[in-house]
Amino acid sequence: PGMNGVELSRKLQDGCASTRVLYMSGYAEDSLFDGYAMDRDVAFLEKPFTPSGLATKVRQVLDAATTEPVPPTPCAADRPAPR
């Protein structure tokens, strides 16, 4: 609450740089990029989409994650649990 998806994704990636994001919207892609100052190379899926279209796009995002260098920012999930 209190933030949009772009703000949320940026906050999550600040805490864990390896977090991958797939944006989806029913609005035209161009209006989103202009309205939120998003990079044009983000993963985006326009609504409506089919289950197989979603699965394909998620696979593309995850596969791209294995080929891109990731800064060594530790994620909370990678840290040992407090005792």
Side-chain angles (χ1 to χ4, degrees):
M3 69 178 74
N4 61 45
V6 174
E7 294 166 336
L8 175 61
S9 69
R10 288 178 180 156
K11 189 170 188 159
L12 290 170
Q13 289 179 317
D14 283 347
C16 184
S18 63
T19 300
R20 299 300 176 207
V21 177
L22 171 59
Y23 294 99
M24 58 182 72
S25 176
Y27 292 102
E29 190 172 349
D30 285 339
S31 67
L32 290 174
F33 290 119
D34 295 340
Y36 292 108
M38 294 168 53
D39 292 331
R40 294 260 174 201
D41 63 346
V42 298
F44 180 80
L45 183 60
E46 190 171 353
K47 294 178 186 176
F49 50 81
T50 63
S52 65
L54 174 60
T56 299
K57 194 64 173 183
V58 167
R59 174 52 43 210
Q60 289 172 351
V61 171
L62 294 175
D63 287 347
T66 62
T67 60
E68 297 173 7
V70 177
T73 304
C75 300
D78 297 334
R79 295 183 196 123
R83 294 180 181 224

